[in-house]
Amino acid sequence: MTNKIVAAIVTATLICGTLDILSAFLFAGLGGASPGQILRYVASGPFGDGMNGAGAVGAAIGLATHFAIMAVMVTVFVIAASRIAVVKTNPVLAGILYGLLLYAVMYWIVVPARWTGHYPKLTPWALGNALFSHIICVGIPMALIAVRTLGRPGPISGPTSIPGG
């Protein structure tokens, strides 16, 4: 991996991970959940339901888990962006589409696989906050950071005149 790719991954992971967890704190907080509860819930995904009662240690593990998941999401996008020109030519659209993909994978595959029968709520509020988080806090910033760090594709170069003309 080039230094530009690593820089894009690190920067986008930190920024998007922070925006996403703050969004989770805000929306879940409006429902009465504390940041610690949110982080312990995240930790319970890979480490089991015992994390829900693990206090500050569980919350710290949840925060590390959150950023590890974000790093994977970002790495996939940045590598794709480095190889697919259309991602760099239209980063906002690419970010929106990737945010929608992340929402679908997390809410319709990962969460139900971990917590059997737990499917996303499709109320306007729940769907709106999930899409806000995945598109506005993750997808679009990730794409803009990737393009800013990697650079946009240059103009197509070719001969300036027709040979023999």
Side-chain angles (χ1 to χ4, degrees):
M1 266 193 262
T2 68
N3 288 340
K4 282 185 175 187
I5 291 174
V6 172
I9 291 168
V10 170
T11 303
T13 297
L14 292 174
I15 291 172
C16 297
T18 300
L19 290 172
D20 185 51
I21 202 65
L22 290 175
S23 174
F25 291 166
L26 172 68
F27 287 114
L30 291 172
S34 71
Q37 288 172 307
I38 300 305
L39 292 172
R40 288 188 293 276
Y41 174 77
V42 172
S44 73
F47 299 109
D49 293 335
M51 286 287 122
N52 289 319
V57 170
I61 292 170
L63 188 61
T65 300
H66 168 74
F67 277 98
I69 292 168
M70 186 61 63
V72 171
M73 293 173 173
V74 168
T75 299
V76 169
F77 184 86
V78 170
I79 290 172
S82 73
R83 297 178 180 178
I84 303 170
V86 71
V87 172
K88 290 193 270 186
T89 58
N90 200 339
V92 173
L93 179 60
I96 291 169
L97 293 174
Y98 194 62
L100 288 169
L101 176 67
L102 294 177
Y103 162 77
V105 169
M106 292 302 294
Y107 281 78
W108 292 96
I109 298 171
V110 174
V111 171
R114 167 54 179 95
W115 292 280
T116 306
H118 185 92
Y119 290 96
K121 296 175 185 164
L122 296 177
T123 64
W125 173 258
L127 186 59
N129 101 43
L131 292 176
F132 173 82
S133 296
H134 285 85
I135 294 170
I136 304 299
C137 295
V138 177
I140 294 173
M142 182 186 305
L144 293 173
I145 291 164
V147 169
R148 181 178 175 98
T149 308
L150 298 173
R152 289 187 181 268
I156 298 172
S157 60
T160 56
S161 63
I162 299 171

